[in-house]
Amino acid sequence: MYQERRQALKEVLKDFGCDAFFSVNQANSYYFTGYSGDGAYCIFGINGDLLVTDGRYIEQAQKECPDIQVECWDRKAGQTWPERLGAFCRKQHMTKIAFEEKVLTYQVYNRLQAANELMQLVPGASSMAIILRKIKEEEELDCHRKAAQITDTAFAQFLPDIKIGMSEKELAARLEFLLKMNGADGLAFPSIIASGQNSSLPHAIPSDKKVEKGDFITFDFGARYRGYCADMTRTVSIGAPTEKQKTVYETVLKAQIAALNQVKAGAVQENLHLLADYIITEAGFGGTFTHSLGHGVGLNIHEEPYLRPGEKSILQPGMVVTIEPGIYIPGWGGVRIEDMVAVTEQGCEIFSKTSKELMIL
Ligand SMILES: [Mn+2]
């Protein structure tokens, strides 16, 4: 699997006119080698591949990557990782090296350049990797399914625990505990839990605010399983909702379902966003949907493709995206409903199974 991915990467490298891909990014190193730790420096090149790490990780790397050359760099033995990679590229006659323009620090860039002055470092590796990563293989879809299933199960167990007087921080601790008890390797991202007026902040951080009667609470969270993320949002009502709360909720749900129904291979990305925004605006809430409709999900919680105005590309089978419209009214609160789905030829497979009927607790 990893060898096939590196082979596919070599084709992309050729298209970009590069000899090798330099990876310091954990997600990319994992995707192309199976190594799940950090502290790895990799070269994936047209004339050879090499993963270099240090004494803390060498045993793990050798176990996880049987099909790539793995080496331990050792300053005491007279060689640092930039020297080792620089020498490897020189020996394999690879000079034009693509680096991860979105994550490589200036310091690491300089260290690699100094180790081999013949090397020509060019930006573009982040873009090259995502060309492959944004279309998920069946094994990757299975990891997303499992992550989503853990997320659904944890939320079902969590709902009866929500009580008036608990703080958002306590709710977060309980929910995250349940994700791990159900088999999550970790969190896909720090949970967003926003109650009452706080829910007008799309990316609120759980606070000391206590849950009160009449609050809407937005939960945006997900498990991570074998590196792959789940992402789901539900908004619940504490006590009977007001007419306005009901209207806002129904409007977001209508926009979410309408957009979900349009997800399929060939759909223009920005059109999905525009459809949801149109429904929200028509209902009298123009200007309150303040973020993108959705984003790709994979080893990163946010990655290509993005469903937002200006994105004229089309969805392809195997992409995993979120559909998450919201309405945010400062001083009042907000609602967001989010599912994670896989794009298919005919439509989509919805990974999140938790009900979207307004839950009144
Ligand atoms: Mn999301």
Side-chain angles (χ1 to χ4, degrees):
M1 180 169 71
Y2 302 109
Q3 231 158 16
E4 280 124 48
R5 290 178 184 169
R6 293 198 299 275
Q7 200 51 46
L9 178 63
K10 276 155 210 178
E11 295 305 314
V12 178
L13 279 167
K14 282 179 199 158
D15 292 343
F16 281 76
C18 291
D19 300 326
F21 181 110
F22 170 48
S23 176
V24 296
N25 176 256
Q26 198 176 1
N28 283 338
S29 300
Y30 178 62
Y31 184 79
F32 290 114
T33 70
Y35 173 61
S36 64
D38 61 13
Y41 301 92
C42 307
I43 288 285
F44 310 124
I46 53 172
N47 298 331
D49 304 318
L50 175 64
L51 182 153
V52 173
T53 188
D54 61 70
R56 296 169 298 168
Y57 299 112
I58 187 66
E59 185 184 349
Q60 181 187 351
Q62 282 166 340
K63 264 189 201 144
E64 290 181 333
C65 322
D67 70 357
I68 182 173
Q69 188 178 339
V70 171
E71 291 182 6
C72 187
W73 66 271
D74 187 351
R75 188 173 278 114
K76 280 174 274 170
Q79 201 165 48
T80 61
W81 70 261
E83 289 162 348
R84 182 64 195 107
L85 291 189
F88 180 76
C89 289
R90 196 179 306 123
K91 182 155 180 275
Q92 303 296 332
H93 307 289
M94 300 189 290
T95 52
K96 199 166 172 192
I97 315 296
F99 68 85
E100 292 156 325
E101 73 279 8
K102 292 191 177 171
V103 295
L104 190 75
T105 64
Y106 186 60
Q107 183 190 39
V108 169
Y109 175 97
N110 278 338
R111 288 191 65 191
L112 186 62
Q113 184 67 79
N116 178 347
E117 284 171 1
L118 297 174
M119 219 182 238
Q120 190 191 343
L121 292 171
V122 297
S126 297
S127 311
M128 291 181 205
I130 204 70
I131 289 171
L132 302 173
R133 280 176 44 194
K134 71 183 174 184
I135 309 291
K136 271 68 182 179
E137 299 156 6
E138 199 49 45
E139 291 89 344
E140 296 180 283
L141 293 175
D142 276 339
C143 292
H144 279 298
R145 280 185 195 104
K146 180 72 178 167
Q149 187 205 324
I150 292 168
T151 303
D152 282 328
T153 305
F155 195 59
Q157 292 173 1
F158 170 69
L159 282 169
D161 296 342
I162 304 172
K163 296 283 183 306
I164 288 171
M166 284 173 85
S167 73
E168 293 168 356
K169 283 182 190 172
E170 288 174 278
L171 292 173
R174 181 74 191 150
L175 180 56
E176 292 171 2
F177 168 80
L178 288 169
L179 287 170
K180 291 187 182 172
M181 289 303 286
N182 281 288
D185 295 326
L187 303 176
F189 57 95
S191 309
I192 297 167
I193 297 184
S195 64
Q197 286 189 14
N198 288 352
S199 57
S200 69
L201 306 172
H203 273 194
I205 296 163
S207 73
D208 293 318
K209 181 190 168 302
K210 291 181 163 47
V211 171
E212 295 165 66
K213 194 161 186 282
D215 277 356
F216 261 4
I217 315 179
T218 298
F219 297 95
D220 184 350
F221 65 103
R224 188 180 284 274
Y225 183 76
R226 293 189 184 161
Y228 290 85
C229 298
D231 195 1
M232 179 171 85
T233 306
R234 289 293 183 269
T235 302
V236 305
S237 183
I238 305 302
T242 63
E243 282 308 309
K244 183 169 180 182
Q245 282 176 319
K246 274 195 248 178
T247 307
V248 169
Y249 191 90
E250 291 305 323
T251 302
V252 173
L253 184 57
K254 196 175 152 196
Q256 205 255 355
I257 290 170
L260 273 179
N261 287 337
Q262 295 301 316
V263 174
K264 64 171 180 182
V268 177
Q269 288 161 215
E270 74 167 355
N271 288 353
L272 298 170
H273 176 97
L274 297 173
L275 171 65
D277 192 50
Y278 176 79
I279 290 168
I280 288 169
T281 302
E282 283 295 291
F285 298 101
T288 64
F289 174 31
T290 49
H291 54 72
S292 312
L293 176 70
H295 53 86
V297 189
L299 294 169
N300 290 342
I301 184 62
H302 296 130
E303 58 183 50
E304 285 188 41
Y306 291 97
L307 309 182
R308 62 189 174 202
E311 298 285 350
K312 314 274 186 202
S313 305
I314 58 171
L315 292 177
Q316 298 169 54
M319 287 179 164
V320 173
V321 298
T322 65
I323 300 294
E324 49 177 314
I327 289 179
Y328 308 97
I329 304 172
W332 182 81
V335 170
R336 179 167 63 259
I337 303 170
E338 172 183 32
D339 288 323
M340 182 174 78
V341 310
V343 179
T344 63
E345 288 290 351
Q346 306 299 330
C348 66
E349 175 188 345
I350 302 177
F351 291 139
S352 320
K353 307 290 186 202
T354 299
S355 167
K356 291 183 281 195
E357 288 293 303
L358 178 55
M359 279 176 263
I360 300 168
L361 306 177

